[in-house]
Amino acid sequence: MLSYSKISNPLLKPFKTSFGTQLTRDAVILTYMDESMEAYAEAVTDEAPLYGYEDNYTLFHVINNHLKTIFSPDLEPEKFNEKAKEIRGHNMAKGAMEMLLWDINAKREGKPLHKFLGKSKGYADVGISIGMSSIDDEMRTIEESLKKGYRRIKVKIERGFNVELLRAIRNRFGDIPLSADANQGFTRDDFKILKKIDEFNLIYIEQPLPLEDINGHALLRKEIKTPICLDESIESVESATNAIERGAVDVINIKPGRVGGLQNSLDIMEKARERGVNIWIGGMLETGIGRSFNISLASNSLVNMPGDTSPNSRYFKKDITNETFEMKDGRIAPLKGNGIGVTLDYRFLSTLQVEGGRLL
Ligand code: OSB
Ligand code: MG
């Protein structure tokens, strides 16, 4: 049986980016159940199409009207991928279903998911992504994060909130590993500001321009020395290849839920590393379910930079999974159980549930 549950879990603190402020994580969870197991996946969509064009409503439309008929619990993820190609786009919807198949398959084989994803290091290097707030407040968060052992600090920037913040961080914390994520907040008219940001020795600037503007990123890359990281622009294997061949990218932030799942992620990782492009695994404030997929992938040896895979407690007072992630020495290990290794706290989940029901 395939069912879904949409939950709304309040964030400990509002998460502000250039595209808006999130107060809750509104996650759609897919559950597959048979006599021998329960398997899960989480879509990276949210209530509104602010990060990409998909949201929780296009997700239901595409799953119910198109993907559901392609899906079978007996499919290999790669086979599902092939069949799903006839539906254009909607890689967040495809990604959720594809990842569900990875969990089903790993559970059938009786092994943790990370062991199916190529060579695993057994841990993920972890950085923190800090939402926009006052400079003073961000200073406190950075200080705490460094004490906790995070291996990279990422701040969010936008037009009108960038140089002053970065200067304050460099003055106070010196040469820490620092990056800035604009979430498409600038345009080609902003190269003057982006050149000022170039002075702060960032390990990369993430998604400065609109996601469609691959050429703009290639032009910017020639103008600044700061490496360019793409997040929203990388929607598929094809868009990754395109960005790499155009010379638009030095670093790719992979979110498996954004690129159509784990197989596409692995393909992008291999292509990118072959061509000298660095890789890290991002996040979308996922519950323990999506987080476990991300951390399993982030432990792959092709991932060579710290990602946005914080412990659950960074975002939620309580999560819907019984198992949670802990960080030690700036690293998080994948869970030891079969598949993604989490079980659901159904009682707590029911207090957060907005809607739910059967899909198949
Ligand atoms: O751009 O990486 C992003 C959160 C929601 C949507 C987009 C992004 C983010 C983050 C936080 O930066 C990543 C995380 O810690 O889950
Ligand atoms: Mg980003």
Side-chain angles (χ1 to χ4, degrees), residues 8-125:
S8 182
N9 200 359
L11 298 174
L12 285 171
K13 225 174 128 174
F15 190 79
K16 183 172 181 227
T17 65
S18 69
F19 63 73
T21 302
Q22 267 179 270
L23 304 175
T24 54
R25 165 69 182 138
D26 294 321
V28 176
I29 306 300
L30 303 181
T31 305
Y32 168 76
M33 227 179 268
D34 65 20
E35 316 72 52
S36 64
M37 77 168 95
E38 266 181 43
Y40 315 106
E42 173 175 350
V44 294
T45 49
D46 214 287
E47 285 294 280
L50 303 175
Y51 165 85
Y53 68 86
E54 295 179 81
D55 64 22
N56 286 340
Y57 303 89
T58 65
L59 176 79
F60 276 118
H61 158 64
V62 172
I63 290 181
N64 265 319
N65 296 312
H66 303 295
L67 295 178
K68 215 163 69 173
T69 52
I70 294 171
F71 179 90
S72 150
D74 301 319
L75 278 177
E76 297 279 320
E78 293 86 340
K79 286 264 156 56
F80 171 78
N81 255 330
E82 272 312 304
K83 289 189 172 204
K85 278 195 176 133
E86 68 192 45
I87 308 299
R88 307 291 164 206
H90 294 279
N91 275 352
M92 293 181 180
K94 291 174 186 172
M97 298 209 98
E98 197 250 18
M99 288 196 274
L100 183 62
L101 287 170
W102 280 93
D103 192 33
I104 293 172
N105 275 280
K107 282 172 175 159
R108 282 197 182 136
E109 302 275 330
K111 281 192 198 148
L113 173 66
H114 72 106
K115 303 216 162 149
F116 288 86
L117 303 174
K119 193 168 172 291
S120 172
K121 295 180 285 192
Y123 62 83
D125 287 321

Side-chain angles (χ1 to χ4, degrees), residues 15 19 22 51 129 154 156 181 183 206 231-232 253 255 282-286 291 308-310 315:
F15 190 79
F19 63 73
Q22 267 179 270
Y51 165 85
S129 173
K154 158 172 147 185
K156 296 288 190 178
D181 187 358
N183 286 110
E206 185 173 337
D231 173 351
E232 289 93 317
N253 165 358
K255 297 174 183 169
M284 299 279 287
L285 319 181
E286 286 93 340
R291 203 163 290 280
D308 287 341
T309 52
S310 289
Y315 289 113

